[in-house]
């Protein structure tokens, strides 16, 4: 079974949500993505943590089937991000980003990971994402995530990266910002022209679009009655998507559509709990039931 190699941030998050503060809970794009991907198959995690990173968190990842040979323990404190959500949870502001050990992070891919064909480049500096690709022998599918910060300050490097990416995942705002196109179908065309043959545009609670040239798949968001914490939903989506594709080893259009549904299933669980609590506890039968729920939601 092919594992999924996941590179990105492993973090502590301090979250201000609905008048409550959740201090230094487990976070980071690679953490969310890895936990999500382990629902489908093995994961190889590449990231960095400091001496304050708890054994309980490493144990959680390892017990779920993540190989932590690429999780560097550096001298210093773990990356810390603090954010506050608006009352309706539709937006958030960053209050604080302490890069700590992440500031000097240079991803080193362990020899045992270098032949892995399925690679997810979580949302980190495109310069580092390129360094990761330089260390992988012959990837079969490279997924990259990004954010507005890198579109602002690392555009040339991001454009360079796009030439080597098969599947680009970004949200609607980022797609517009990167291409200058307001219309998402035109934005996807412009993104294809940069390199990726598959583009996935996330629309938050409104679902996701999968675009491969003229072929478009549109999945709505699952209407949820309670949302506890939207943090990491995008990373969970991408991690589950790659986590589903890697063991299936199937890049056909139907397989990619199914992967988008599984990405959305795990993302819908992610927002139901604070931090990684829900994605770490959800059972295979709950995942299956929600996949069926998506089928009913979209059948007519
Ligand atoms: P999302 O809600 O999917 O955008 O992801 C949120 C996660 O990204 C949090 O757990 C943060 O720890 C992490 N994060 C926030 N800012 C950054 C950054 N500049 N670089 C890498 N990871 C970040």
């Amino acid at each position: 079974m092919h594992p999924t190699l996941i590179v990105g941030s492993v973090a502590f998050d301090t979250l201000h949500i609905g008048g409550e503060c959740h201090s230094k809970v487990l976070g980071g794009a690679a953490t969310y993505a890895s936990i999500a991907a382990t629902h489908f198959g093995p994961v190889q995690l590449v990231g960095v943590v400091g001496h304050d990173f708890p054994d309980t968190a490493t144990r959680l990842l390892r017990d779920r089937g993540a190989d932590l040979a690429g999780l560097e323990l550096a001298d210093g404190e773990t990356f810390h991000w603090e954010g506050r959500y608006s009352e309706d949870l539709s937006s958030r502001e960053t209050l604080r980003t302490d890069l700590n050990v992440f500031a000097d992070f240079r991803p080193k891919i362990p020899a045992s990971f270098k032949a892995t064909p399925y690679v997810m480049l979580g949302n980190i500096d495109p310069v580092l994402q390129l360094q990761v690709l330089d260390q992988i022998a012959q990837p079969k599918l490279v997924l990259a995530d990004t954010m507005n910060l890198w579109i602002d300050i690392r555009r040339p490097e991001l454009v360079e990266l796009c030439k080597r990416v098969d599947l680009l995942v970004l949200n609607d705002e980022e797609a517009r910002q990167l291409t200058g196109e307001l219309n998402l179908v035109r934005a996807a065309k412009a993104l294809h022209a940069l390199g990726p043959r598959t583009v996935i545009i996330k629309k938050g609670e409104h679902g996701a679009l999968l675009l491969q040239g003229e072929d478009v798949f549109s999945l709505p968001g699952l209407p949820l009655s309670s949302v506890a914490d939207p943090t990491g939903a995008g990373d969970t989506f991408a991690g589950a998507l790659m986590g589903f594709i890697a063991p299936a080893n199937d890049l056909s259009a139907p397989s990619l559509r199914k992967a988008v549904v599984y990405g959305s299933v795990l993302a819908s669980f992610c927002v139901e709990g604070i931090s990684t609590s829900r994605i770490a506890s959800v059972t295979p039968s709950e995942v299956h039931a929600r996949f069926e729920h998506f089928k009913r939601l979209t059948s007519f």
Side-chain angles (χ1 to χ4, degrees):
M1 195 190 271
H2 288 301
T4 306
L5 192 156
I6 296 175
V7 186
S9 56
V10 178
F12 286 131
D13 291 343
T14 295
L15 309 167
H16 301 267
I17 305 174
E20 285 183 38
C21 174
H22 304 275
S23 182
K24 294 210 164 179
V25 292
L26 181 60
T31 311
Y32 279 101
S34 296
I35 294 174
T38 54
H39 281 276
F40 305 96
V43 162
Q44 297 170 335
L45 175 57
V46 176
V48 63
V49 292
H51 55 71
D52 52 351
F53 197 68
D55 288 345
T56 45
T58 34
R59 211 174 310 123
L60 164 75
L61 288 160
R62 202 174 278 127
D63 288 351
R64 293 204 55 88
D67 183 338
L68 303 185
L71 185 63
E72 195 187 318
L73 176 60
D75 194 15
E77 291 187 6
T78 302
F79 175 76
H80 173 233
W81 175 78
E82 181 167 356
R84 178 184 288 123
Y85 283 87
S86 61
E87 210 177 324
D88 66 357
L89 304 183
S90 66
S91 62
R92 71 179 179 207
E93 60 170 325
T94 292
L95 301 178
R96 196 182 163 129
T97 302
D98 302 315
L99 287 176
N100 299 334
V101 293
F102 208 51
D104 299 316
F105 179 48
R106 300 286 169 275
K108 284 181 270 318
I109 309 299
S112 56
F113 292 5
K114 289 189 177 192
T116 299
Y118 292 94
V119 179
M120 171 177 164
L121 304 171
N123 163 32
I124 50 174
D125 188 331
V127 172
L128 300 185
Q129 291 175 314
L130 281 163
Q131 285 175 10
V132 170
L133 285 187
D134 288 341
Q135 298 174 61
I136 308 281
Q138 240 187 343
K140 183 169 175 180
L141 186 79
V142 176
L143 177 153
D145 194 355
T146 193
M147 70 188 286
N148 50 3
L149 172 70
W150 309 123
I151 301 173
D152 277 339
I153 68 169
R154 291 274 193 274
R155 182 178 284 265
E157 292 84 356
L158 190 56
V159 168
E160 194 53 37
L161 177 77
C162 280
K163 294 180 191 157
R164 300 170 65 182
V165 164
D166 305 289
L167 207 170
L168 184 66
V169 179
L170 69 190
N171 70 31
D172 40 7
E173 254 177 60
E174 293 155 358
R176 292 186 175 109
Q177 187 189 350
L178 182 53
T179 62
E181 292 282 1
L182 291 180
N183 176 293
L184 290 182
V185 177
R186 288 161 71 121
K189 279 213 169 84
L191 293 170
H192 283 318
L194 293 177
R197 63 186 144 83
T198 307
V199 172
I200 294 180
I201 301 179
K202 296 171 291 180
K203 299 186 293 172
E205 61 180 317
H206 303 297
L209 284 176
L210 164 71
L211 304 107
Q212 291 185 297
E214 297 304 310
D215 189 32
V216 181
F217 174 57
S218 176
L219 189 73
L222 192 73
L224 292 170
S225 55
S226 88
V227 174
D229 173 15
T231 312
D235 312 306
T236 296
F237 173 88
L241 182 123
M242 272 303 260
F244 173 78
I245 294 173
N249 198 23
D250 178 359
L251 299 181
S252 66
S255 164
L256 283 177
R257 286 180 176 217
K258 227 171 159 182
V260 169
V261 180
Y262 276 115
S264 305
V265 165
L266 266 297
S268 75
F269 282 118
C270 175
V271 303
E272 286 181 349
I274 302 291
S275 172
T276 57
S277 58
R278 190 70 177 111
I279 50 167
S281 64
V282 64
T283 63
S285 63
E286 286 177 305
V287 170
H288 176 73
R290 199 160 280 188
F291 182 85
E292 294 300 315
H293 190 162
F294 262 102
K295 264 193 193 161
R296 290 195 301 279
L297 183 74
T298 51
S299 142
F300 61 90

